[in-house]
Amino acid sequence: MPQMPSPALQTALAYHRAWTGGDFEQAMTYIAEDIVCQAPAGRLEGAEAFRGFMGPFVQILTGSDLIASFGDETTALLMYDTSTKPVSSAPAAECLTVRDGTITHLRIIFDRTPFDAARKASTAP
């Protein structure tokens, strides 16, 4: 008998399915108003700051492959590879803290190298 994902993992996967499926508004329903997001560009506080960070990325997303997911009662970890308009492969990982079905803390790590290379190639003479 298959085991049900933990509560945090259920929320993390629902959030991930929503934003990678193009429904960013649905994804935002899993984000706490007071979320703290640690991203390569720095610390973001609050749902509106998070929207400003994640919204533009979702607009250039063309696909995503979930590589692995793990979770317990309050924490989930997702590893995935995204395809975007500028780059075909942009690997990332997220560690999410979930309380009462909403994501209160998200630490996202992603490889900026493909984006830097695409920017450099687009400005080369």
Side-chain angles (χ1 to χ4, degrees):
M1 173 183 265
Q3 186 178 11
M4 289 293 295
S6 70
L9 185 55
Q10 286 180 39
T11 298
L13 289 171
Y15 160 75
H16 183 78
R17 278 191 298 270
W19 75 261
T20 61
D23 191 348
F24 188 58
E25 291 309 312
Q26 178 63 31
M28 286 299 296
T29 67
Y30 298 101
I31 300 298
E33 282 299 317
D34 61 349
I35 188 173
V36 173
C37 176
Q38 293 173 275
R43 180 182 171 103
L44 304 164
E45 295 185 19
E48 286 310 305
F50 181 77
R51 177 186 293 280
F53 164 72
M54 198 67 181
F57 182 76
V58 171
Q59 292 177 356
I60 64 168
L61 186 71
T62 59
S64 179
D65 292 313
L66 186 63
I67 297 167
S69 60
F70 300 94
D72 59 24
E73 295 299 310
T74 60
T75 306
L77 180 63
L78 305 178
M79 182 176 182
Y80 52 89
D81 193 14
T82 56
S83 302
T84 66
K85 293 174 184 174
V87 300
S88 62
S89 176
E94 296 179 3
C95 183
L96 307 95
T97 303
V98 177
R99 187 177 310 121
D100 299 324
T102 60
I103 300 164
T104 59
H105 186 265
L106 189 152
R107 181 165 190 156
I108 183 169
I109 299 168
F110 59 88
D111 186 358
R112 296 171 88 165
T113 307
F115 294 101
D116 292 342
R119 268 191 293 281
K120 189 174 183 178
S122 72
T123 61

